[in-house]
Every structure is written in C-alpha cells, then in structure tokens.
C-alpha cells in the first residue's frame, strides 16, 4: 500500500547505491559543472550524476577517518552538488 509522497505502509522506498559500482575519477573536468549545466565530460561521472539525480534525497553511510569522512565519498558528492 502506498500512501502520500510515495511512502508505503512499511516505510519509504529505498535503494542502495554502492560507490564501488561506479568507477568515478577524482574531479577531472575542464570546467565546473555549474558552467556546463551540470553535464560531465567523464562518462562515469555523468552516469553517477544521472543515477543519483533520480532520487529525492539520500543518506550516505561512510567510514570515518581521523574525525572526518574519507575523501573518496566526499569528492563524489561534491561532484554531484556542483
């Protein structure tokens, strides 16, 4: 049973995305995505942008290193937010 906002009787629909499934390079674009309308030249980065853009929100579960997050996930979300 689906209620308002796509939330079922047992909770919201969830999808697990694993960054290991996306061979994302560190930021390697000639210009900021803000200058290119959010489009990436790297095919892997563009696939990640399209996939994460399908969702209304996300919860990231990442490892902590020295009281902060690892640079890998941080860079991936920065790419999407740019």
């Amino acid at each position: 049973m689906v209620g308002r906002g796509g939330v079922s009787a047992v909770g919201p629909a969830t999808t697990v995305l694993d960054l290991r499934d996306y061979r994302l390079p560190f930021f390697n674009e000639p210009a900021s995505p803000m200058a290119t309308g959010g489009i990436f030249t790297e095919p892997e980065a563009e696939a990640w942008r399209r996939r994460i853009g399908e969702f209304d929100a996300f919860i990231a579960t990442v490892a902590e290193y020295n009281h902060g997050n690892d640079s890998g996930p941080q860079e991936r979300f920065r790419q999407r937010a740019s």
Side-chain angles (χ1 to χ4, degrees):
M1 178 176 166
V2 177
R4 290 184 18 208
V7 178
S8 70
V10 294
T14 59
T15 301
V16 176
L17 297 179
D18 192 332
L19 283 175
R20 293 176 291 189
D21 296 337
Y22 297 85
R23 301 200 46 89
L24 295 170
F26 278 99
F27 189 75
N28 188 27
E29 297 292 325
S32 166
M34 289 182 71
T36 63
I39 305 300
F40 292 91
T41 59
E42 293 283 338
E44 297 87 356
E46 182 61 18
W48 170 251
R49 179 194 69 83
R50 285 192 314 269
R51 182 67 173 131
I52 201 168
E54 295 173 9
F55 303 102
D56 295 327
F58 61 86
I59 298 171
T61 304
V62 298
E64 180 182 336
Y65 176 74
N66 201 17
H67 304 289
N69 60 338
D70 182 16
S71 64
Q74 180 177 343
E75 184 69 21
R76 275 44 175 194
F77 292 118
R78 202 174 273 156
Q79 282 180 352
R80 175 62 187 124
S82 297

